[in-house]
């Protein structure tokens, strides 16, 4: 707690209108959005790389964003860091009655239902309105893959879902066929729509296969990065540039990268 208090005091000094840091004083909630998102992704990257020293540092960077936003809110009389901590502590206790209130759930399904009901109740209390849709609360600002997963999970909990992964494979083939027809039509807007439908159903397939679509794509990106950099190394050894090589040559290097386990 001593270091938490130190962080809060440092943030206050950085924001001091007379003696603080000019850059820190210029920031507002909106200007910090890119930094907050970036730090969250860097935490994920450190976890996926298994670098726990880096994870400690990246979690600190993410905590700085919480302290920064809390300080600006305190300056405006909205809330402070302590209120943020209290809010999440209250929420955790409220949503885990099986841990803190001695309530027993007879299944994971019952526990999840309680969790969702609690979220809806909290939203009603906050807004004074009854939620109009079970999809409310899924932030539209999320990365598209993550938003798709959350929308699908919400709908599935209320019975709107395929029975099996096999059924989703059929939908993937259907959407792929519709995309091919749209491409053949030359209608760019239709192509964009059908491609979106295909991506959405692929996320659904990932969910049915118990695979996180965001993580799967990030792993695919890493694999591509490794293999393409291997291609670059191979090309450099030949004394050529990438642009001087034929696609057949580059494909051969790609196959070599696969055989090498990249």
């Amino acid at each position: 707690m001593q270091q938490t208090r130190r962080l809060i005091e440092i943030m206050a000094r950085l924001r001091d209108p007379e003696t603080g840091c000019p850059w820190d004083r210029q920031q507002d909630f909106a200007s910090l959005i890119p930094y907050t998102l970036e730090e969250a992704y860097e935490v994920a990257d450190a976890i996926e790389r298994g670098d726990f020293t880096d994870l400690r540092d990246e979690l600190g960077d993410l905590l700085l964003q919480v302290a920064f936003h809390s300080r600006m809110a305190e300056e405006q009389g909205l809330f402070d860091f302590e209120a943020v901590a209290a809010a999440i502590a209250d929420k955790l206790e409220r949503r885990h009655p099986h841990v803190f209130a001695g309530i027993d759930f007879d299944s994971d399904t019952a526990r999840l239902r309680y969790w969702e009901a609690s979220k809806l109740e909290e939203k009603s209390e906050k807004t004074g309105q009854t939620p109009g849709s079970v999809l409310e609360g899924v932030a539209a600002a999320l990365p598209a893959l993550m938003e798709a997963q959350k929308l699908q999970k919400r709908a599935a909990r209320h019975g709107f879902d395929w029975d099996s992964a096999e059924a989703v494979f059929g939908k993937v083939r259907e959407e792929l066929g519709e995309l091919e027809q749209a491409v053949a039509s030359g209608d760019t807007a239709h192509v964009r729509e059908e491609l979106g439908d295909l991506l959405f159903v692929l996320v659904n397939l990932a969910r049915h296969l118990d695979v996180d679509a965001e993580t799967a794509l990030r792993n695919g990106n890493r694999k591509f990065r490794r293999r393409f950099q291997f291609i670059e190394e191979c090309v450099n050894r030949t004394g050529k540039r990438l642009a001087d090589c034929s696609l057949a040559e580059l494909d051969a290097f790609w196959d070599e990268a696969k055989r090498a386990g990249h």
Side-chain angles (χ1 to χ4, degrees):
M1 296 303 293
Q2 179 180 352
Q3 296 303 321
T4 302
R5 175 53 55 187
R6 178 181 170 216
L7 171 62
I8 294 170
E9 291 173 353
I10 288 172
M11 198 67 252
R13 288 191 62 181
L14 291 172
R15 288 282 296 178
D16 188 282
E18 296 181 0
T19 61
C21 169
W23 186 88
D24 289 282
R25 293 201 310 262
Q26 291 168 4
Q27 302 312 307
D28 58 27
F29 295 117
S31 70
L32 288 181
I33 290 174
Y35 302 101
T36 305
L37 293 174
E38 180 182 348
E39 297 303 349
Y41 279 110
E42 289 182 355
V43 166
D45 180 64
I47 292 171
E48 291 172 353
R49 288 186 287 104
D51 188 336
F52 295 104
T53 299
D54 198 25
L55 175 59
R56 177 201 62 199
D57 294 341
E58 296 300 345
L59 285 171
D61 291 343
L62 185 58
L63 180 59
L64 169 61
Q65 295 300 310
V66 177
F68 209 147
H69 283 283
S70 299
R71 178 60 200 176
M72 292 187 297
E74 185 175 0
E75 292 166 0
Q76 297 179 34
L78 301 173
F79 55 82
D80 59 11
F81 188 96
E82 190 71 14
V84 172
I88 187 59
D90 290 344
K91 183 184 293 185
L92 287 171
E93 289 182 346
R94 187 168 57 248
R95 292 189 182 176
H96 295 82
H98 50 299
V99 176
F100 300 103
I103 294 177
D104 292 325
F105 294 113
D106 56 13
S107 67
D108 284 342
T109 301
R111 180 176 53 79
L112 286 172
R113 283 204 196 98
Y114 179 88
W115 179 278
E116 290 298 329
S118 295
K119 291 173 70 173
L120 290 174
E121 183 179 347
E122 289 164 11
K123 187 173 182 64
S124 296
E125 291 175 355
K126 187 181 298 183
T127 64
Q129 300 176 345
T130 301
S133 169
V134 297
L135 301 181
E136 287 186 17
V138 178
L142 287 170
L145 284 179
M146 192 179 300
E147 181 188 6
Q149 289 180 128
K150 286 183 173 290
L151 290 172
Q152 292 166 8
K153 285 181 180 178
R154 286 285 184 91
R157 286 173 189 162
H158 293 268
F160 190 73
D161 198 10
W162 281 284
D163 294 331
S164 65
E166 287 72 20
V168 189
F169 274 112
K171 188 64 176 177
V172 169
R173 287 188 284 270
E174 177 187 328
E175 294 296 349
L176 182 58
E178 291 180 1
L179 175 59
E180 289 174 336
Q181 291 174 13
V183 171
S185 75
D187 186 334
T188 303
H190 192 201
V191 170
R192 186 183 304 113
E193 178 185 355
E194 294 300 341
L195 183 58
D197 290 346
L198 177 59
L199 291 171
F200 190 83
V201 76
L202 284 171
V203 172
N204 227 327
L205 177 60
R207 183 175 61 83
H208 274 268
L209 297 174
D210 199 24
V211 172
D212 180 82
E214 185 79 18
T215 301
L217 183 56
R218 285 167 63 84
N219 289 341
N221 290 343
R222 277 200 199 87
K223 183 191 294 183
F224 179 85
R225 187 190 296 269
R226 289 195 307 270
R227 291 180 179 175
F228 192 82
Q229 288 172 341
F230 180 88
I231 290 174
E232 289 177 311
E233 293 170 3
C234 292
V235 171
N236 288 337
R237 286 198 294 269
T238 68
K240 294 182 178 181
R241 299 176 305 165
L242 282 170
D244 298 328
C245 298
S246 68
L247 179 58
E249 288 177 289
L250 297 178
D251 273 340
F253 289 138
W254 178 271
D255 291 338
E256 187 178 341
K258 291 173 65 175
R259 288 193 297 273
H262 292 290

